[in-house]
mmCIF file of all heavy atoms in Angstrom:
data_model
loop_
_atom_site.group_PDB
_atom_site.id
_atom_site.type_symbol
_atom_site.label_atom_id
_atom_site.label_comp_id
_atom_site.label_asym_id
_atom_site.label_seq_id
_atom_site.Cartn_x
_atom_site.Cartn_y
_atom_site.Cartn_z
ATOM 1 N N ARG A 189 12.498 55.170 -23.545
ATOM 2 C CA ARG A 189 11.278 54.471 -23.943
ATOM 3 C C ARG A 189 10.242 54.578 -22.843
ATOM 4 O O ARG A 189 10.509 54.199 -21.699
ATOM 5 C CB ARG A 189 11.556 52.985 -24.215
ATOM 6 C CG ARG A 189 12.357 52.690 -25.460
ATOM 7 C CD ARG A 189 12.425 51.185 -25.690
ATOM 8 N NE ARG A 189 13.259 50.834 -26.817
ATOM 9 C CZ ARG A 189 13.499 49.578 -27.205
ATOM 10 N NH1 ARG A 189 12.960 48.571 -26.521
ATOM 11 N NH2 ARG A 189 14.271 49.331 -28.243
ATOM 12 N N ASN A 190 9.093 55.080 -23.210
ATOM 13 C CA ASN A 190 7.979 55.188 -22.252
ATOM 14 C C ASN A 190 8.398 55.868 -20.953
ATOM 15 O O ASN A 190 8.033 55.436 -19.858
ATOM 16 C CB ASN A 190 7.389 53.799 -21.947
ATOM 17 C CG ASN A 190 6.896 53.100 -23.195
ATOM 18 O OD1 ASN A 190 6.288 53.728 -24.052
ATOM 19 N ND2 ASN A 190 7.159 51.803 -23.293
ATOM 20 N N GLY A 191 9.204 56.902 -21.107
ATOM 21 C CA GLY A 191 9.624 57.667 -19.941
ATOM 22 C C GLY A 191 10.715 57.025 -19.118
ATOM 23 O O GLY A 191 11.070 57.527 -18.051
ATOM 24 N N LYS A 192 11.309 55.918 -19.600
ATOM 25 C CA LYS A 192 12.365 55.235 -18.870
ATOM 26 C C LYS A 192 13.590 55.081 -19.751
ATOM 27 O O LYS A 192 13.482 54.956 -20.976
ATOM 28 C CB LYS A 192 11.894 53.853 -18.402
ATOM 29 C CG LYS A 192 10.759 53.887 -17.383
ATOM 30 C CD LYS A 192 10.387 52.480 -16.960
ATOM 31 C CE LYS A 192 9.254 52.482 -15.933
ATOM 32 N NZ LYS A 192 8.864 51.117 -15.519
ATOM 33 N N VAL A 193 14.762 55.074 -19.113
ATOM 34 C CA VAL A 193 16.007 54.857 -19.862
ATOM 35 C C VAL A 193 16.095 53.386 -20.252
ATOM 36 O O VAL A 193 15.996 52.496 -19.407
ATOM 37 C CB VAL A 193 17.243 55.253 -19.035
ATOM 38 C CG1 VAL A 193 18.508 55.068 -19.871
ATOM 39 C CG2 VAL A 193 17.139 56.685 -18.547
ATOM 40 N N HIS A 194 16.264 53.145 -21.539
ATOM 41 C CA HIS A 194 16.403 51.775 -22.038
ATOM 42 C C HIS A 194 17.866 51.510 -22.368
ATOM 43 O O HIS A 194 18.490 52.253 -23.135
ATOM 44 C CB HIS A 194 15.549 51.575 -23.292
ATOM 45 C CG HIS A 194 15.768 50.245 -23.959
ATOM 46 N ND1 HIS A 194 15.383 49.052 -23.389
ATOM 47 C CD2 HIS A 194 16.350 49.934 -25.152
ATOM 48 C CE1 HIS A 194 15.703 48.054 -24.188
ATOM 49 N NE2 HIS A 194 16.292 48.563 -25.274
ATOM 50 N N CYS A 195 18.423 50.460 -21.773
ATOM 51 C CA CYS A 195 19.829 50.087 -22.006
ATOM 52 C C CYS A 195 19.865 48.897 -22.964
ATOM 53 O O CYS A 195 19.743 47.743 -22.527
ATOM 54 C CB CYS A 195 20.524 49.743 -20.699
ATOM 55 S SG CYS A 195 20.491 51.051 -19.456
ATOM 56 N N LYS A 196 20.026 49.178 -24.237
ATOM 57 C CA LYS A 196 20.078 48.092 -25.222
ATOM 58 C C LYS A 196 21.303 47.219 -24.995
ATOM 59 O O LYS A 196 21.226 45.993 -25.066
ATOM 60 C CB LYS A 196 20.105 48.679 -26.633
ATOM 61 C CG LYS A 196 20.227 47.630 -27.728
ATOM 62 C CD LYS A 196 20.371 48.281 -29.095
ATOM 63 C CE LYS A 196 20.607 47.232 -30.182
ATOM 64 N NZ LYS A 196 20.812 47.858 -31.511
ATOM 65 N N ASN A 197 22.445 47.855 -24.745
ATOM 66 C CA ASN A 197 23.694 47.130 -24.552
ATOM 67 C C ASN A 197 23.927 46.889 -23.063
ATOM 68 O O ASN A 197 24.276 47.804 -22.322
ATOM 69 C CB ASN A 197 24.862 47.903 -25.165
ATOM 70 C CG ASN A 197 24.693 48.077 -26.662
ATOM 71 O OD1 ASN A 197 24.038 47.269 -27.313
ATOM 72 N ND2 ASN A 197 25.271 49.127 -27.217
ATOM 73 N N LYS A 198 23.729 45.657 -22.650
ATOM 74 C CA LYS A 198 23.812 45.298 -21.235
ATOM 75 C C LYS A 198 25.220 44.822 -20.904
ATOM 76 O O LYS A 198 25.872 44.181 -21.726
ATOM 77 C CB LYS A 198 22.773 44.220 -20.910
ATOM 78 C CG LYS A 198 21.343 44.668 -21.236
ATOM 79 C CD LYS A 198 20.386 43.497 -21.228
ATOM 80 C CE LYS A 198 18.980 43.960 -21.621
ATOM 81 N NZ LYS A 198 18.925 44.458 -23.017
ATOM 82 N N ILE A 199 25.645 45.125 -19.696
ATOM 83 C CA ILE A 199 26.985 44.727 -19.261
ATOM 84 C C ILE A 199 26.911 43.967 -17.945
ATOM 85 O O ILE A 199 26.253 44.403 -17.000
ATOM 86 C CB ILE A 199 27.912 45.953 -19.094
ATOM 87 C CG1 ILE A 199 28.248 46.556 -20.464
ATOM 88 C CG2 ILE A 199 29.207 45.567 -18.372
ATOM 89 C CD1 ILE A 199 29.156 47.776 -20.397
ATOM 90 N N ILE A 200 27.570 42.814 -17.920
ATOM 91 C CA ILE A 200 27.843 42.091 -16.682
ATOM 92 C C ILE A 200 29.329 42.300 -16.406
ATOM 93 O O ILE A 200 30.175 41.860 -17.191
ATOM 94 C CB ILE A 200 27.534 40.587 -16.810
ATOM 95 C CG1 ILE A 200 26.075 40.352 -17.210
ATOM 96 C CG2 ILE A 200 27.850 39.863 -15.497
ATOM 97 C CD1 ILE A 200 25.750 38.904 -17.526
ATOM 98 N N ALA A 201 29.647 42.996 -15.338
ATOM 99 C CA ALA A 201 31.044 43.328 -15.036
ATOM 100 C C ALA A 201 31.619 42.319 -14.054
ATOM 101 O O ALA A 201 31.128 42.186 -12.938
ATOM 102 C CB ALA A 201 31.145 44.735 -14.461
ATOM 103 N N LYS A 202 32.644 41.628 -14.479
ATOM 104 C CA LYS A 202 33.292 40.625 -13.624
ATOM 105 C C LYS A 202 34.436 41.297 -12.860
ATOM 106 O O LYS A 202 35.388 41.797 -13.474
ATOM 107 C CB LYS A 202 33.815 39.467 -14.473
ATOM 108 C CG LYS A 202 34.319 38.277 -13.659
ATOM 109 C CD LYS A 202 34.929 37.214 -14.560
ATOM 110 C CE LYS A 202 33.888 36.474 -15.348
ATOM 111 N NZ LYS A 202 34.495 35.368 -16.146
ATOM 112 N N VAL A 203 34.347 41.324 -11.540
ATOM 113 C CA VAL A 203 35.345 42.017 -10.718
ATOM 114 C C VAL A 203 35.676 41.183 -9.480
ATOM 115 O O VAL A 203 34.920 40.301 -9.091
ATOM 116 C CB VAL A 203 34.843 43.408 -10.269
ATOM 117 C CG1 VAL A 203 34.490 44.278 -11.475
ATOM 118 C CG2 VAL A 203 33.636 43.286 -9.352
ATOM 119 N N SER A 204 36.810 41.506 -8.869
ATOM 120 C CA SER A 204 37.200 40.809 -7.640
ATOM 121 C C SER A 204 37.622 41.771 -6.539
ATOM 122 O O SER A 204 38.126 41.356 -5.505
ATOM 123 C CB SER A 204 38.355 39.836 -7.932
ATOM 124 O OG SER A 204 39.467 40.531 -8.475
ATOM 125 N N ARG A 205 37.392 43.073 -6.774
ATOM 126 C CA ARG A 205 37.761 44.085 -5.781
ATOM 127 C C ARG A 205 36.642 45.111 -5.664
ATOM 128 O O ARG A 205 35.957 45.433 -6.648
ATOM 129 C CB ARG A 205 39.069 44.783 -6.176
ATOM 130 C CG ARG A 205 40.251 43.849 -6.372
ATOM 131 C CD ARG A 205 41.486 44.621 -6.824
ATOM 132 N NE ARG A 205 41.975 45.508 -5.782
ATOM 133 C CZ ARG A 205 42.858 45.163 -4.858
ATOM 134 N NH1 ARG A 205 43.355 43.949 -4.848
ATOM 135 N NH2 ARG A 205 43.255 46.029 -3.948
ATOM 136 N N THR A 206 36.511 45.678 -4.461
ATOM 137 C CA THR A 206 35.426 46.631 -4.223
ATOM 138 C C THR A 206 35.584 47.891 -5.058
ATOM 139 O O THR A 206 34.599 48.439 -5.569
ATOM 140 C CB THR A 206 35.357 47.010 -2.730
ATOM 141 O OG1 THR A 206 36.666 47.432 -2.293
ATOM 142 C CG2 THR A 206 34.898 45.838 -1.879
ATOM 143 N N GLU A 207 36.811 48.378 -5.233
ATOM 144 C CA GLU A 207 36.992 49.608 -5.997
ATOM 145 C C GLU A 207 36.651 49.416 -7.475
ATOM 146 O O GLU A 207 36.208 50.356 -8.152
ATOM 147 C CB GLU A 207 38.428 50.148 -5.851
ATOM 148 C CG GLU A 207 39.531 49.233 -6.339
ATOM 149 C CD GLU A 207 40.067 48.295 -5.265
ATOM 150 O OE1 GLU A 207 39.320 47.969 -4.320
ATOM 151 O OE2 GLU A 207 41.241 47.894 -5.383
ATOM 152 N N LEU A 208 36.829 48.198 -7.987
ATOM 153 C CA LEU A 208 36.466 47.920 -9.369
ATOM 154 C C LEU A 208 34.953 47.802 -9.501
ATOM 155 O O LEU A 208 34.371 48.248 -10.500
ATOM 156 C CB LEU A 208 37.152 46.645 -9.852
ATOM 157 C CG LEU A 208 38.679 46.618 -9.744
ATOM 158 C CD1 LEU A 208 39.232 45.315 -10.284
ATOM 159 C CD2 LEU A 208 39.290 47.804 -10.487
ATOM 160 N N ALA A 209 34.315 47.206 -8.506
ATOM 161 C CA ALA A 209 32.854 47.135 -8.509
ATOM 162 C C ALA A 209 32.259 48.534 -8.462
ATOM 163 O O ALA A 209 31.274 48.841 -9.145
ATOM 164 C CB ALA A 209 32.371 46.307 -7.319
ATOM 165 N N ASP A 210 32.872 49.416 -7.663
ATOM 166 C CA ASP A 210 32.386 50.782 -7.504
ATOM 167 C C ASP A 210 32.317 51.509 -8.850
ATOM 168 O O ASP A 210 31.337 52.193 -9.157
ATOM 169 C CB ASP A 210 33.299 51.533 -6.531
ATOM 170 C CG ASP A 210 32.810 52.938 -6.223
ATOM 171 O OD1 ASP A 210 33.038 53.845 -7.050
ATOM 172 O OD2 ASP A 210 32.183 53.129 -5.178
ATOM 173 N N MET A 211 33.344 51.361 -9.676
ATOM 174 C CA MET A 211 33.364 52.115 -10.937
ATOM 175 C C MET A 211 32.302 51.621 -11.913
ATOM 176 O O MET A 211 31.806 52.389 -12.747
ATOM 177 C CB MET A 211 34.762 52.070 -11.570
ATOM 178 C CG MET A 211 35.178 50.749 -12.159
ATOM 179 S SD MET A 211 36.899 50.813 -12.750
ATOM 180 C CE MET A 211 37.014 49.209 -13.570
ATOM 181 N N PHE A 212 31.945 50.332 -11.842
ATOM 182 C CA PHE A 212 30.902 49.823 -12.722
ATOM 183 C C PHE A 212 29.502 50.078 -12.175
ATOM 184 O O PHE A 212 28.525 50.012 -12.921
ATOM 185 C CB PHE A 212 31.093 48.322 -12.962
ATOM 186 C CG PHE A 212 32.051 47.994 -14.075
ATOM 187 C CD1 PHE A 212 33.337 47.554 -13.789
ATOM 188 C CD2 PHE A 212 31.674 48.145 -15.392
ATOM 189 C CE1 PHE A 212 34.228 47.255 -14.811
ATOM 190 C CE2 PHE A 212 32.548 47.852 -16.428
ATOM 191 C CZ PHE A 212 33.830 47.402 -16.139
ATOM 192 N N MET A 213 29.398 50.357 -10.873
ATOM 193 C CA MET A 213 28.097 50.646 -10.280
ATOM 194 C C MET A 213 27.694 52.110 -10.441
ATOM 195 O O MET A 213 26.561 52.476 -10.130
ATOM 196 C CB MET A 213 28.115 50.282 -8.790
ATOM 197 C CG MET A 213 28.166 48.794 -8.503
ATOM 198 S SD MET A 213 28.215 48.503 -6.719
ATOM 199 C CE MET A 213 28.272 46.716 -6.660
ATOM 200 N N ARG A 214 28.612 52.921 -10.910
ATOM 201 C CA ARG A 214 28.331 54.361 -11.074
ATOM 202 C C ARG A 214 28.161 54.697 -12.560
ATOM 203 O O ARG A 214 28.536 53.913 -13.432
ATOM 204 C CB ARG A 214 29.465 55.184 -10.466
ATOM 205 C CG ARG A 214 29.581 55.003 -8.948
ATOM 206 C CD ARG A 214 30.613 55.899 -8.328
ATOM 207 N NE ARG A 214 30.664 55.686 -6.883
ATOM 208 C CZ ARG A 214 29.838 56.261 -6.019
ATOM 209 N NH1 ARG A 214 28.900 57.114 -6.461
ATOM 210 N NH2 ARG A 214 29.929 56.019 -4.729
ATOM 211 N N PRO A 215 27.597 55.860 -12.874
ATOM 212 C CA PRO A 215 27.437 56.263 -14.275
ATOM 213 C C PRO A 215 28.782 56.436 -14.973
ATOM 214 O O PRO A 215 29.835 56.554 -14.333
ATOM 215 C CB PRO A 215 26.693 57.604 -14.172
ATOM 216 C CG PRO A 215 25.990 57.552 -12.854
ATOM 217 C CD PRO A 215 26.918 56.805 -11.945
ATOM 218 N N ALA A 216 28.740 56.472 -16.280
ATOM 219 C CA ALA A 216 29.956 56.647 -17.081
ATOM 220 C C ALA A 216 30.645 57.965 -16.744
ATOM 221 O O ALA A 216 29.978 58.989 -16.560
ATOM 222 C CB ALA A 216 29.599 56.622 -18.564
ATOM 223 N N PRO A 217 31.967 57.982 -16.646
ATOM 224 C CA PRO A 217 32.699 59.209 -16.322
ATOM 225 C C PRO A 217 32.498 60.299 -17.370
ATOM 226 O O PRO A 217 32.460 60.039 -18.576
ATOM 227 C CB PRO A 217 34.159 58.746 -16.287
ATOM 228 C CG PRO A 217 34.101 57.281 -16.047
ATOM 229 C CD PRO A 217 32.860 56.819 -16.732
ATOM 230 N N GLU A 218 32.404 61.522 -16.919
ATOM 231 C CA GLU A 218 32.165 62.675 -17.790
ATOM 232 C C GLU A 218 33.274 62.830 -18.835
ATOM 233 O O GLU A 218 33.013 63.215 -19.988
ATOM 234 C CB GLU A 218 32.071 63.947 -16.928
ATOM 235 C CG GLU A 218 31.757 65.216 -17.698
ATOM 236 C CD GLU A 218 30.337 65.255 -18.231
ATOM 237 O OE1 GLU A 218 29.471 64.562 -17.649
ATOM 238 O OE2 GLU A 218 30.103 65.965 -19.238
ATOM 239 N N LYS A 219 34.522 62.531 -18.457
ATOM 240 C CA LYS A 219 35.638 62.744 -19.392
ATOM 241 C C LYS A 219 35.487 61.889 -20.653
ATOM 242 O O LYS A 219 35.832 62.326 -21.760
ATOM 243 C CB LYS A 219 36.976 62.451 -18.709
ATOM 244 C CG LYS A 219 37.155 61.009 -18.249
ATOM 245 C CD LYS A 219 38.532 60.781 -17.625
ATOM 246 C CE LYS A 219 38.713 59.322 -17.192
ATOM 247 N NZ LYS A 219 40.056 59.080 -16.615
ATOM 248 N N PHE A 220 34.949 60.677 -20.492
ATOM 249 C CA PHE A 220 34.755 59.816 -21.656
ATOM 250 C C PHE A 220 33.559 60.267 -22.489
ATOM 251 O O PHE A 220 33.570 60.187 -23.718
ATOM 252 C CB PHE A 220 34.583 58.362 -21.222
ATOM 253 C CG PHE A 220 35.828 57.734 -20.662
ATOM 254 C CD1 PHE A 220 35.786 56.949 -19.521
ATOM 255 C CD2 PHE A 220 37.060 57.925 -21.283
ATOM 256 C CE1 PHE A 220 36.923 56.367 -19.004
ATOM 257 C CE2 PHE A 220 38.218 57.345 -20.770
ATOM 258 C CZ PHE A 220 38.148 56.562 -19.629
ATOM 259 N N LEU A 221 32.517 60.727 -21.818
ATOM 260 C CA LEU A 221 31.337 61.205 -22.543
ATOM 261 C C LEU A 221 31.692 62.386 -23.444
ATOM 262 O O LEU A 221 31.222 62.480 -24.578
ATOM 263 C CB LEU A 221 30.228 61.581 -21.552
ATOM 264 C CG LEU A 221 29.684 60.446 -20.677
ATOM 265 C CD1 LEU A 221 28.631 60.980 -19.716
ATOM 266 C CD2 LEU A 221 29.104 59.333 -21.533
ATOM 267 N N LYS A 222 32.527 63.282 -22.930
ATOM 268 C CA LYS A 222 32.936 64.452 -23.722
ATOM 269 C C LYS A 222 33.712 64.018 -24.962
ATOM 270 O O LYS A 222 33.508 64.548 -26.061
ATOM 271 C CB LYS A 222 33.776 65.395 -22.863
ATOM 272 C CG LYS A 222 32.974 66.157 -21.817
ATOM 273 C CD LYS A 222 33.877 67.081 -21.002
ATOM 274 C CE LYS A 222 33.063 67.881 -19.983
ATOM 275 N NZ LYS A 222 33.935 68.759 -19.152
ATOM 276 N N LYS A 223 34.625 63.065 -24.803
ATOM 277 C CA LYS A 223 35.421 62.589 -25.939
ATOM 278 C C LYS A 223 34.550 61.894 -26.982
ATOM 279 O O LYS A 223 34.722 62.082 -28.194
ATOM 280 C CB LYS A 223 36.513 61.632 -25.445
ATOM 281 C CG LYS A 223 37.642 62.308 -24.689
ATOM 282 C CD LYS A 223 38.697 61.290 -24.266
ATOM 283 C CE LYS A 223 39.836 61.974 -23.511
ATOM 284 N NZ LYS A 223 40.873 60.999 -23.071
ATOM 285 N N LEU A 224 33.608 61.088 -26.514
ATOM 286 C CA LEU A 224 32.730 60.365 -27.435
ATOM 287 C C LEU A 224 31.779 61.315 -28.159
ATOM 288 O O LEU A 224 31.445 61.100 -29.332
ATOM 289 C CB LEU A 224 31.944 59.289 -26.670
ATOM 290 C CG LEU A 224 32.783 58.109 -26.140
ATOM 291 C CD1 LEU A 224 31.972 57.259 -25.183
ATOM 292 C CD2 LEU A 224 33.303 57.264 -27.303
ATOM 293 N N LEU A 225 31.370 62.365 -27.478
ATOM 294 C CA LEU A 225 30.540 63.389 -28.122
ATOM 295 C C LEU A 225 31.337 64.124 -29.202
ATOM 296 O O LEU A 225 30.843 64.361 -30.315
ATOM 297 C CB LEU A 225 30.041 64.393 -27.080
ATOM 298 C CG LEU A 225 28.708 64.101 -26.401
ATOM 299 C CD1 LEU A 225 28.452 65.100 -25.277
ATOM 300 C CD2 LEU A 225 27.561 64.141 -27.412
ATOM 301 N N ALA A 226 32.562 64.451 -28.858
ATOM 302 C CA ALA A 226 33.418 65.197 -29.799
ATOM 303 C C ALA A 226 33.710 64.375 -31.058
ATOM 304 O O ALA A 226 33.817 64.929 -32.160
ATOM 305 C CB ALA A 226 34.719 65.591 -29.111
ATOM 306 N N SER A 227 33.825 63.054 -30.884
ATOM 307 C CA SER A 227 34.117 62.184 -32.029
ATOM 308 C C SER A 227 32.858 61.771 -32.774
ATOM 309 O O SER A 227 32.944 61.118 -33.824
ATOM 310 C CB SER A 227 34.863 60.932 -31.562
ATOM 311 O OG SER A 227 34.027 60.161 -30.697
ATOM 312 N N GLY A 228 31.691 62.131 -32.231
ATOM 313 C CA GLY A 228 30.426 61.795 -32.885
ATOM 314 C C GLY A 228 30.001 60.354 -32.704
ATOM 315 O O GLY A 228 29.113 59.865 -33.412
ATOM 316 N N GLU A 229 30.598 59.647 -31.746
ATOM 317 C CA GLU A 229 30.275 58.230 -31.550
ATOM 318 C C GLU A 229 29.052 58.022 -30.655
ATOM 319 O O GLU A 229 28.512 56.921 -30.596
ATOM 320 C CB GLU A 229 31.495 57.502 -30.965
ATOM 321 C CG GLU A 229 32.647 57.428 -31.958
ATOM 322 C CD GLU A 229 33.916 56.856 -31.356
ATOM 323 O OE1 GLU A 229 34.586 57.579 -30.583
ATOM 324 O OE2 GLU A 229 34.242 55.696 -31.652
ATOM 325 N N ILE A 230 28.628 59.069 -29.942
ATOM 326 C CA ILE A 230 27.376 59.049 -29.193
ATOM 327 C C ILE A 230 26.661 60.378 -29.432
ATOM 328 O O ILE A 230 27.269 61.349 -29.889
ATOM 329 C CB ILE A 230 27.582 58.824 -27.672
ATOM 330 C CG1 ILE A 230 28.384 59.989 -27.061
ATOM 331 C CG2 ILE A 230 28.249 57.481 -27.399
ATOM 332 C CD1 ILE A 230 28.442 59.959 -25.539
ATOM 333 N N THR A 231 25.372 60.413 -29.104
ATOM 334 C CA THR A 231 24.594 61.647 -29.291
ATOM 335 C C THR A 231 24.500 62.422 -27.976
ATOM 336 O O THR A 231 24.808 61.894 -26.899
ATOM 337 C CB THR A 231 23.174 61.305 -29.764
ATOM 338 O OG1 THR A 231 22.488 60.583 -28.712
ATOM 339 C CG2 THR A 231 23.202 60.444 -31.023
ATOM 340 N N GLN A 232 24.035 63.668 -28.090
ATOM 341 C CA GLN A 232 23.816 64.493 -26.889
ATOM 342 C C GLN A 232 22.811 63.815 -25.956
ATOM 343 O O GLN A 232 22.990 63.823 -24.741
ATOM 344 C CB GLN A 232 23.293 65.873 -27.297
ATOM 345 C CG GLN A 232 24.331 66.799 -27.906
ATOM 346 C CD GLN A 232 25.267 67.410 -26.866
ATOM 347 O OE1 GLN A 232 25.112 67.197 -25.661
ATOM 348 N NE2 GLN A 232 26.250 68.172 -27.337
ATOM 349 N N GLU A 233 21.769 63.224 -26.541
ATOM 350 C CA GLU A 233 20.754 62.548 -25.730
ATOM 351 C C GLU A 233 21.346 61.355 -24.990
ATOM 352 O O GLU A 233 21.073 61.129 -23.817
ATOM 353 C CB GLU A 233 19.593 62.090 -26.625
ATOM 354 C CG GLU A 233 18.527 61.250 -25.941
ATOM 355 C CD GLU A 233 17.666 62.030 -24.951
ATOM 356 O OE1 GLU A 233 17.965 63.206 -24.678
ATOM 357 O OE2 GLU A 233 16.690 61.456 -24.441
ATOM 358 N N GLN A 234 22.195 60.588 -25.656
ATOM 359 C CA GLN A 234 22.831 59.428 -25.008
ATOM 360 C C GLN A 234 23.775 59.868 -23.896
ATOM 361 O O GLN A 234 23.837 59.228 -22.844
ATOM 362 C CB GLN A 234 23.569 58.591 -26.052
ATOM 363 C CG GLN A 234 22.625 57.814 -26.964
ATOM 364 C CD GLN A 234 23.327 57.166 -28.142
ATOM 365 O OE1 GLN A 234 24.391 57.622 -28.584
ATOM 366 N NE2 GLN A 234 22.740 56.098 -28.673
ATOM 367 N N ALA A 235 24.476 60.968 -24.103
ATOM 368 C CA ALA A 235 25.361 61.495 -23.060
ATOM 369 C C ALA A 235 24.548 61.911 -21.834
ATOM 370 O O ALA A 235 24.983 61.715 -20.693
ATOM 371 C CB ALA A 235 26.163 62.677 -23.592
#
């Protein structure tokens, strides 16, 4: 939207360890994006 990524679905991640915080602070893993693309549950643009 207007040249910016819009996140309709917001997530508050509740964690108690640094390694768990790290995974939520980074983008979605490529392996999951590929599976979701293959199943048609997300679009190429969303990936």
